[in-house]
Amino acid sequence: MKQMNLMAVLALGLMLGALSGCQKKDDAATGPAEQAGRRLDQVTQKAQRDLTQAAATARENMTKAAEDSNEKIKQATDDASRKLNKTAEKVGEKVQRAGEKIQEKAHEERQN
């Protein structure tokens, strides 16, 4: 009988101990490991927010840089095209003058 009472008291003590462990505790009453775990969770969440924001900013910067590069390439291409057209016109004029000189020379040769 004494053993049964002792077992009942021990069982009741274990149940009370288990129930007290299940209760929500204040931050002041939490242990260092739980506080460290909560802090780790907070730091991890902040890092995730910061990384997400940094990725969005990087994506915006890359898009802007690509747009700027495209505009500069377009300007360079337009400039090169204008210069090429001017050069082609000058070459055409020189070829025309050379052709005229050849014709003049041929005309002179025929008259002689």
Side-chain angles (χ1 to χ4, degrees):
M1 183 89 145
K2 277 189 172 189
Q3 272 187 343
M4 210 161 156
N5 285 340
L6 182 60
M7 295 282 271
V9 170
L10 285 175
L12 182 60
L14 285 174
M15 287 194 314
L16 287 175
L19 287 175
S20 68
C22 293
Q23 293 176 352
K24 187 172 180 171
K25 300 176 183 177
D26 300 9
D27 281 343
T30 58
E34 188 172 341
Q35 289 176 358
R38 286 183 184 171
R39 183 68 184 136
L40 182 61
D41 289 344
Q42 292 171 351
V43 168
T44 302
Q45 289 171 357
K46 183 180 181 324
Q48 182 179 8
R49 285 190 307 269
D50 291 348
L51 286 173
T52 301
Q53 181 61 41
T57 301
R59 187 174 24 257
E60 290 171 8
N61 290 342
M62 287 175 49
T63 300
K64 177 74 170 118
E67 290 170 356
D68 291 348
S69 294
N70 285 341
E71 183 60 31
K72 288 178 182 178
I73 289 170
K74 183 182 179 310
Q75 288 174 354
T77 303
D78 290 346
D79 290 346
S81 178
R82 279 193 296 277
K83 289 178 182 178
L84 184 61
N85 286 340
K86 284 182 182 180
T87 302
E89 286 177 20
K90 287 180 182 179
V91 168
E93 290 170 1
K94 288 183 179 186
V95 168
Q96 185 176 356
R97 277 190 239 132
E100 289 170 357
K101 285 182 181 180
I102 291 171
Q103 286 178 352
E104 288 174 8
K105 196 71 160 167
H107 185 58
E108 288 174 10
E109 290 292 323
R110 277 187 248 152
Q111 287 182 355
N112 289 334

